[in-house]
Amino acid sequence: MTPTLATANAALASNANMALYASMIVYTLAMLMFAWHLAARSAQLSGTRAVEREEVLVTAGGAPATSAPAPARPAVEGPTATESAASWQRGNIGLMLTYLATALLVASVVLRGVAVERPPWGNMFEFATASAAAVGLTYSVLAKRNGWQWLGVFVVTPILLVLGLSLTVLYTEAGELMPALKSYWLAIHVGVAFLAVAFFTIAAVIGALYLVRLRREEKPPARRNFIESLPSSAALERTAYGLNMVAFILWTFTLIAGSIWAKQAWGTYWQWDPKEVWTFVIWTVYAAYMHGRATAGVDLRKSMYIALAGFACVIINFTLVNLVSTFVGMHNYSGM
């Protein structure tokens, strides 16, 4: 590499880091706006409950039929709450900020790739930032289509945590790709894995909200909050199942593609490498979830616990398997 080219690539890597910092700032603003959005939803529910109490008191007191009606308030009809103007506006601002932050994060990943002249997935820092970008992109597309502003704070916050850890713990200078990774299968195998993890992540967030929502439906609290403004537990469960189904299909492809790549790189499809084992463990746990979810009479709550256990395996596969020496194997690409 010529000195001029090396200097240009170093400048691109620096610009990639600047874009990453900028995306974190904008994601922080989006998180705050989404939190404000949920606060407006909670206040809307409280206002509706106050109106309901007023109506009950008037009826019990025998108010004449000609009495003035209670002031109009935004209607709340269970999970499909009519948005107040403040809530709607804050949610949309949060979504617009998420679009901008995600665009900056994608730009950072692309600039890093141009700087190193390869797919920017060669170490833990690059894996983490690319995974966060995949989650941000997937949420942005689904949120726009489904009106998932209520989900924003629960997705943007983990993205911020991952980016913060990437810069403080996982950061690795841009460099050459390890010989074992120099294959077109890197873009195919790892790229699909990123997309699968994005769907797994959003499904896990919705699954956790489903469990909270279900508990509050079974034991209604004395005081409602933003949880009661979310879709019903049944709707959340169906959504989580659909996302997990897509992710499971993508993960199946990831497992198969990894085996094919292993055959080309190491001469065998399977070596019981820790990364291979945990990839299969994830597939097995989610297969158990899919089977349980499709079986008549099975408790959906228990099935969701299995799905969340599968996501815990995804986190272990991404962190401990790559960072802890106990799991040393063929996939030692953390760069740390």
Side-chain angles (χ1 to χ4, degrees):
M1 183 181 294
T2 64
T4 302
L5 184 58
T7 302
N9 287 351
L12 286 172
S14 177
N15 290 335
N17 291 341
M18 293 300 295
L20 180 57
Y21 285 119
S23 73
M24 291 183 67
I25 293 172
V26 181
Y27 269 130
T28 301
L29 295 175
M31 179 185 66
L32 295 174
M33 191 57 66
F34 281 134
W36 201 15
H37 164 66
L38 289 182
R41 294 174 72 101
S42 181
Q44 180 183 349
L45 283 171
S46 299
T48 305
R49 174 63 65 86
V51 171
E52 291 171 352
R53 286 199 298 266
E54 290 174 8
E55 292 174 347
V56 169
L57 289 173
V58 168
T59 302
T66 57
S67 60
R73 300 290 181 90
V76 177
E77 299 175 359
T80 57
T82 301
E83 290 277 6
S84 67
S87 175
W88 182 85
Q89 185 179 40
R90 294 170 192 175
N92 280 334
I93 292 174
L95 196 55
M96 295 303 109
L97 289 171
T98 302
Y99 293 160
L100 176 58
T102 302
L104 289 168
L105 182 54
V106 170
S108 173
V109 173
V110 171
L111 286 172
R112 175 85 173 199
V114 175
V116 297
E117 300 179 350
R118 58 172 173 77
W121 307 328
N123 51 60
M124 279 289 290
F125 170 75
E126 294 172 356
F127 293 161
T129 53
S131 296
V135 174
L137 275 172
T138 303
Y139 169 72
S140 296
V141 172
L142 294 176
K144 179 65 174 178
R145 179 178 178 180
N146 299 296
W148 282 356
Q149 288 87 337
W150 52 267
L151 187 62
V153 70
F154 304 106
V155 174
V156 170
T157 301
I159 290 176
L160 270 173
L161 290 175
V162 169
L163 294 180
L165 288 173
S166 300
L167 288 169
T168 57
V169 178
L170 306 176
Y171 185 75
T172 305
E173 294 290 344
E176 291 291 328
L177 195 65
M178 294 183 65
L181 295 178
K182 294 181 178 179
S183 170
Y184 61 87
W185 280 105
L186 176 65
I188 300 172
H189 171 65
V190 182
V192 175
F194 285 147
L195 190 57
V197 169
F199 277 95
F200 277 141
T201 301
I202 298 174
V205 170
I206 295 177
L209 290 174
Y210 153 73
L211 294 174
V212 176
R213 185 79 164 97
L214 179 61
R215 180 177 179 82
R216 292 176 73 90
E217 287 177 355
E218 293 174 343
K219 298 179 180 179
R223 183 177 180 180
R224 293 185 292 183
N225 57 29
F226 69 90
I227 294 294
E228 277 65 50
S229 73
L230 301 182
S232 67
S233 61
L236 291 172
E237 194 279 331
R238 288 194 300 270
T239 301
Y241 172 66
L243 293 172
N244 278 321
M245 177 63 77
V246 174
F248 179 70
I249 294 171
L250 293 171
W251 196 255
T252 301
F253 178 84
T254 299
L255 184 62
I256 295 172
S259 297
I260 296 173
W261 187 8
K263 175 65 175 178
Q264 293 184 357
W266 303 322
T268 179
Y269 291 105
W270 194 264
Q271 296 194 34
W272 295 104
D273 178 77
K275 179 67 72 172
E276 292 176 338
V277 172
W278 276 95
T279 299
F280 182 68
V281 167
I282 293 168
W283 185 90
T284 302
V285 174
Y286 275 103
Y289 162 70
M290 293 297 166
H291 174 73
R293 175 57 172 75
T295 302
V298 173
D299 187 354
L300 296 181
R301 191 198 317 255
K302 294 180 179 178
S303 295
M304 189 58 68
Y305 282 131
I306 297 175
L308 293 178
F311 186 68
C313 293
V314 172
I315 295 176
I316 292 172
N317 188 45
F318 180 74
T319 56
L320 296 182
V321 175
N322 287 328
L323 299 175
V324 178
S325 58
T326 305
F327 296 101
V328 171
M330 305 294 290
H331 292 76
N332 297 323
Y333 308 134
S334 70
M336 300 178 62

